[in-house]
Amino acid sequence: MNEPADTSFRDAHFAAIVANSTDAIVSKDLNGVVISWNAAAERLFGWTAEEMIGESIRRIIPSDRQDEEDSILARVRAGELITKFETVRQTKAGAPVPIAVTVSPIRDAEGKIVGASKIAHDLREHSTLRQELRESQQQFAALAQNIPQLAWMADGKGWIYWYNQRWYDYTGTTLEQMQGWGWRDVHHPEHVDRVVERIQHSWDTGEVWEDTFPLRGADGEFRWFLSRANPLKDDEGNVLLWCGTNTDITEQREASERITLLMREVNHRARNMLSTVQAIVNRTASASDSELADALLRRIAALSANQNLLNEGDWVGAVVADIVASQILHVGDIAEGRIHTGRRDQVMLKPGPAEALGLAIHELATNAAKYGALANDTGEIDVTWGFEGEGEDRRFVMEWRERGGPPVEKPERKGFGTTIIERNPAFAMRADVTLDFDPAGLVWRISAPYDSAIAPDLSDISRPEAD
């Protein structure tokens, strides 16, 4: 009694599903003539139901894919369900549309196949994403395979699962040999334990890794590499993967070693020359003018001390604390416990400013021993240095302040010592130099532009030292 109502409900339910589906749902007879065409099909292909019902489905099939319809109809007649496959159809305007299609036979009440239903899913967005992914993969491959470095990637735990082709070309290995911890096999046995320890620390902590070590090439020879790895983290700070590179620095390392040897040779010869000059001064001037000879010898010694510091730093520069310490040694006996350093930043000066500052400190210490705070038993000296200002206005400042010595008198004339104290630093580091002959104690102060004074490799360091 209720079957007609139930049938009516099922038909309405089915019609609602078809009408509101986001996929195109189409039915056709065994000749390919369209019987139904839902709203999604209208949106996808641009043809209205009125335009398509009663017409061949071949209208939306490109000419080079007409054989697909022949195959579909044959398989439907044979009762076959055609599972989802990707193909291309065309809109009313002739534009290609990538779709995924599923085709099912339609049977009448007696089970006879009378047509087919087709569900078409729009793949345009999916296709765009796949194309973008392909392009991204191609770009990554082009970059990874053409950079001059050896490159690799590891998971969040440090298991290396990918190397670029340059790694394989250089090491002569395969991924099977190198994945995970296999890379240890191409490390120098004298360095591998150190490398493993340091890189494991980064794997455990998520800190950026950097190290320098030799790697064995396919020819059996070792070359030096500067190696770095950076973690890629999620929003919670968890490491997702590591990206690493190894840069061949063998030539740079060898060139640096040659330069170091040459600089040492130059420094050795310069010291010999200074020793010769000292001997000449001793033999020529000491008998006739011992005071002049003494002043010349002291200044030559100051130059030699500066040169030693610069040589130890490979002529990159010299640390201010070391400059001060080396240039007050000649007054060490009387200065012990009387020269104090207050605020001191760790500062490395460029070679030119370092030499000028060293000579100035030497001259100030000499004058203090003769006429200033070190000329009696009670005077003291405060030496401070550091930075002032920010950004482009940042400056290196240094002050030598004497107190407790004999009353200070301004000299009637300026001699060579004044040139060393004032003009040399001003010229070498474009500094503003002030020399105040305060009766209570001499005050010497310099203020130099940051970029003019500070060695580039330590330009960002400013940390307090212990006094």
PDB file of all heavy atoms in Angstrom, residues 331-342:
ATOM      1  N   VAL A 331     106.758  50.553  31.648  1.00  0.00           N
ATOM      2  CA  VAL A 331     106.622  51.265  32.918  1.00  0.00           C
ATOM      3  C   VAL A 331     106.026  50.336  33.970  1.00  0.00           C
ATOM      4  O   VAL A 331     105.459  50.798  34.969  1.00  0.00           O
ATOM      5  CB  VAL A 331     105.746  52.532  32.759  1.00  0.00           C
ATOM      6  CG1 VAL A 331     106.415  53.530  31.836  1.00  0.00           C
ATOM      7  CG2 VAL A 331     104.346  52.170  32.241  1.00  0.00           C
ATOM      8  N   GLY A 332     106.160  49.049  33.734  1.00  0.00           N
ATOM      9  CA  GLY A 332     105.498  48.070  34.584  1.00  0.00           C
ATOM     10  C   GLY A 332     105.900  48.127  36.039  1.00  0.00           C
ATOM     11  O   GLY A 332     105.063  47.965  36.930  1.00  0.00           O
ATOM     12  N   ASP A 333     107.177  48.357  36.308  1.00  0.00           N
ATOM     13  CA  ASP A 333     107.646  48.354  37.694  1.00  0.00           C
ATOM     14  C   ASP A 333     106.959  49.428  38.523  1.00  0.00           C
ATOM     15  O   ASP A 333     106.532  49.187  39.653  1.00  0.00           O
ATOM     16  CB  ASP A 333     109.160  48.540  37.739  1.00  0.00           C
ATOM     17  CG  ASP A 333     109.900  47.338  37.175  1.00  0.00           C
ATOM     18  OD1 ASP A 333     109.285  46.260  37.119  1.00  0.00           O
ATOM     19  OD2 ASP A 333     111.075  47.480  36.794  1.00  0.00           O
ATOM     20  N   ILE A 334     106.866  50.631  37.960  1.00  0.00           N
ATOM     21  CA  ILE A 334     106.267  51.717  38.732  1.00  0.00           C
ATOM     22  C   ILE A 334     104.750  51.782  38.555  1.00  0.00           C
ATOM     23  O   ILE A 334     104.053  52.435  39.335  1.00  0.00           O
ATOM     24  CB  ILE A 334     106.891  53.080  38.341  1.00  0.00           C
ATOM     25  CG1 ILE A 334     106.649  53.358  36.847  1.00  0.00           C
ATOM     26  CG2 ILE A 334     108.366  53.123  38.670  1.00  0.00           C
ATOM     27  CD1 ILE A 334     107.117  54.735  36.412  1.00  0.00           C
ATOM     28  N   ALA A 335     104.213  51.105  37.540  1.00  0.00           N
ATOM     29  CA  ALA A 335     102.780  51.206  37.252  1.00  0.00           C
ATOM     30  C   ALA A 335     101.971  50.089  37.884  1.00  0.00           C
ATOM     31  O   ALA A 335     100.745  50.139  37.865  1.00  0.00           O
ATOM     32  CB  ALA A 335     102.552  51.194  35.743  1.00  0.00           C
ATOM     33  N   GLU A 336     102.645  49.078  38.460  1.00  0.00           N
ATOM     34  CA  GLU A 336     101.928  47.923  38.975  1.00  0.00           C
ATOM     35  C   GLU A 336     100.890  48.335  40.014  1.00  0.00           C
ATOM     36  O   GLU A 336     101.190  48.980  41.019  1.00  0.00           O
ATOM     37  CB  GLU A 336     102.909  46.936  39.597  1.00  0.00           C
ATOM     38  CG  GLU A 336     102.248  45.636  40.032  1.00  0.00           C
ATOM     39  CD  GLU A 336     103.259  44.613  40.509  1.00  0.00           C
ATOM     40  OE1 GLU A 336     104.476  44.888  40.440  1.00  0.00           O
ATOM     41  OE2 GLU A 336     102.815  43.543  40.953  1.00  0.00           O
ATOM     42  N   GLY A 337      99.618  47.971  39.753  1.00  0.00           N
ATOM     43  CA  GLY A 337      98.532  48.302  40.651  1.00  0.00           C
ATOM     44  C   GLY A 337      98.058  49.730  40.573  1.00  0.00           C
ATOM     45  O   GLY A 337      97.157  50.125  41.334  1.00  0.00           O
ATOM     46  N   ARG A 338      98.608  50.515  39.638  1.00  0.00           N
ATOM     47  CA  ARG A 338      98.263  51.943  39.581  1.00  0.00           C
ATOM     48  C   ARG A 338      97.583  52.322  38.258  1.00  0.00           C
ATOM     49  O   ARG A 338      97.123  53.455  38.114  1.00  0.00           O
ATOM     50  CB  ARG A 338      99.515  52.796  39.797  1.00  0.00           C
ATOM     51  CG  ARG A 338     100.150  52.565  41.164  1.00  0.00           C
ATOM     52  CD  ARG A 338     101.517  53.174  41.271  1.00  0.00           C
ATOM     53  NE  ARG A 338     101.463  54.628  41.150  1.00  0.00           N
ATOM     54  CZ  ARG A 338     102.551  55.417  41.079  1.00  0.00           C
ATOM     55  NH1 ARG A 338     103.769  54.873  41.084  1.00  0.00           N
ATOM     56  NH2 ARG A 338     102.424  56.731  40.982  1.00  0.00           N
ATOM     57  N   ILE A 339      97.583  51.430  37.299  1.00  0.00           N
ATOM     58  CA  ILE A 339      96.856  51.673  36.047  1.00  0.00           C
ATOM     59  C   ILE A 339      95.635  50.763  36.065  1.00  0.00           C
ATOM     60  O   ILE A 339      95.750  49.541  36.111  1.00  0.00           O
ATOM     61  CB  ILE A 339      97.724  51.398  34.810  1.00  0.00           C
ATOM     62  CG1 ILE A 339      98.923  52.345  34.785  1.00  0.00           C
ATOM     63  CG2 ILE A 339      96.896  51.543  33.534  1.00  0.00           C
ATOM     64  CD1 ILE A 339      99.830  52.165  33.578  1.00  0.00           C
ATOM     65  N   HIS A 340      94.470  51.365  36.059  1.00  0.00           N
ATOM     66  CA  HIS A 340      93.213  50.632  36.210  1.00  0.00           C
ATOM     67  C   HIS A 340      92.379  50.720  34.934  1.00  0.00           C
ATOM     68  O   HIS A 340      92.364  51.746  34.260  1.00  0.00           O
ATOM     69  CB  HIS A 340      92.398  51.199  37.378  1.00  0.00           C
ATOM     70  CG  HIS A 340      93.193  51.394  38.625  1.00  0.00           C
ATOM     71  ND1 HIS A 340      93.587  50.357  39.427  1.00  0.00           N
ATOM     72  CD2 HIS A 340      93.692  52.537  39.197  1.00  0.00           C
ATOM     73  CE1 HIS A 340      94.279  50.829  40.449  1.00  0.00           C
ATOM     74  NE2 HIS A 340      94.360  52.148  40.334  1.00  0.00           N
ATOM     75  N   THR A 341      91.683  49.639  34.658  1.00  0.00           N
ATOM     76  CA  THR A 341      90.726  49.655  33.542  1.00  0.00           C
ATOM     77  C   THR A 341      89.344  49.476  34.126  1.00  0.00           C
ATOM     78  O   THR A 341      89.087  48.560  34.906  1.00  0.00           O
ATOM     79  CB  THR A 341      91.030  48.536  32.532  1.00  0.00           C
ATOM     80  OG1 THR A 341      91.046  47.297  33.212  1.00  0.00           O
ATOM     81  CG2 THR A 341      92.356  48.787  31.844  1.00  0.00           C
ATOM     82  N   GLY A 342      88.448  50.370  33.751  1.00  0.00           N
ATOM     83  CA  GLY A 342      87.067  50.278  34.215  1.00  0.00           C
ATOM     84  C   GLY A 342      86.239  49.558  33.186  1.00  0.00           C
ATOM     85  O   GLY A 342      86.424  48.374  32.929  1.00  0.00           O
TER      86      GLY A 342
END
